[in-house]
């Protein structure tokens, strides 16, 4: 099973990915914007902009994320390649166009289920220096992702429309169990 979470920063993706990892024994993809920016010598993913390295950063992040996911038959990830594409569109449209765009969309087929965490339902970014603390930015990102996600994802795109953690976990459990039942009968 390959499960992905999509959504703006602070929408609970990592918390939910950890829940799925523990519940189903799936490894979590460790590649993310924080690990790649740190490997490039930056304190935050947003610091790459000041150094003029956004394109290099986004290409490296995409390549490492895809490589890790292709090397694992089962996993959970707290950000899809579509999320990364939307961030790249926001910060470096020239990098987002062309091959980067095509790879991001093609890789979406790797996920069996994609759970979308809308910022309008739950979003908490205050106090984390590695995140933009502007709710306007997070909601805009979320709205763009929600608009293109269902038409870009070949796998089921499942919005989590409740803010309570227990309700979100119950929805995920129900969807995963349904997916597993269908897979067993196929």
């Amino acid at each position: 099973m390959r499960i992905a979470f999509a959504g703006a920063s602070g929408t609970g993706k990592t918390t939910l990915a950890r829940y799925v990892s523990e519940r189903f024994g799936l490894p979590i993809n460790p590649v993310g914007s924080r690990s790649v920016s740190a490997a490039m010598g930056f304190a935050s993913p947003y610091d790459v902009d000041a150094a003029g390295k956004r394109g290099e950063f986004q290409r490296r992040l995409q390549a490492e994320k895809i490589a890790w996911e292709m090397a694992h038959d089962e996993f959970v990830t707290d950000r899809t390649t579509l999320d990364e594409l939307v961030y790249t569109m926001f910060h470096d449209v020239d990098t987002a166009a062309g091959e980067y765009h095509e790879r991001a969309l093609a890789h979406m087929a790797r996920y069996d289920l994609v759970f979308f965490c809308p910022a309008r339902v739950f979003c908490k970014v205050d106090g984390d220096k590695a995140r933009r603390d502007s709710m306007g930015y997070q909601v805009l990102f979320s709205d763009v992702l929600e608009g293109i996600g269902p038409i870009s994802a070949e796998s089921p795109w499942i919005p989590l429309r409740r803010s309570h953690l227990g309700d979100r976990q119950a929805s995920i459990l129900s969807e995963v169990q349904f997916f597993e039942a269908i897979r067993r009968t196929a």
Side-chain angles (χ1 to χ4, degrees):
M1 201 172 10
R2 296 178 297 269
I3 298 174
F5 288 87
S9 294
T11 57
K13 296 178 309 299
T14 302
T15 298
L16 294 170
R18 287 182 186 134
Y19 166 75
V20 167
S21 174
E22 291 170 11
R23 183 80 164 89
F24 298 101
L26 299 172
I28 295 179
N29 183 342
V31 178
S33 59
R34 293 177 196 221
S35 65
V36 171
S37 62
M40 292 177 67
F42 297 100
S44 159
Y46 298 107
D47 292 343
V48 300
D49 293 324
K53 303 260 186 187
R54 175 58 72 164
E56 176 187 344
F57 166 75
Q58 291 297 160
R59 285 187 296 275
R60 183 172 172 177
L61 176 57
Q62 183 188 64
E64 291 182 20
K65 178 175 204 43
I66 290 173
W68 189 93
E69 291 177 0
M70 294 304 291
H72 293 80
D73 291 330
E74 294 189 318
F75 61 84
V76 62
T77 186
D78 67 355
R79 190 165 298 285
T80 70
T81 54
L82 188 61
D83 290 69
E84 299 302 347
L85 173 62
V86 173
Y87 274 118
T88 307
M89 289 168 40
F90 275 31
H91 297 280
D92 185 353
V93 71
D94 292 332
T95 295
E99 290 179 21
Y100 184 96
H101 174 227
E102 296 304 319
R103 274 191 306 275
L105 294 181
H107 191 71
M108 288 298 291
R110 182 86 170 130
Y111 307 127
D112 294 317
L113 297 169
V114 178
F115 291 98
F116 173 64
C117 302
R120 292 179 187 273
V121 173
F122 176 86
C123 188
K124 184 178 179 187
V125 293
D126 56 318
D128 187 341
K129 297 194 183 319
R131 295 178 172 164
R132 290 246 168 136
D133 62 2
S134 162
M135 279 304 295
Y137 176 91
Q138 302 303 341
V139 168
L140 179 60
F141 173 88
S142 182
D143 287 352
V144 170
L145 186 59
E146 185 171 23
I148 64 174
I151 60 173
S152 300
E154 293 186 28
S155 50
W157 180 270
I158 304 156
L160 298 173
R161 301 254 180 235
R162 303 221 174 179
S163 62
H164 186 269
L165 179 60
D167 292 340
R168 293 169 132 204
Q169 291 170 332
S171 293
I172 291 164
L173 182 59
S174 174
E175 292 289 345
V176 170
Q177 288 172 336
F178 180 71
F179 174 79
E180 287 182 321
I182 290 173
R183 188 168 66 171
R184 279 192 301 269
T185 61

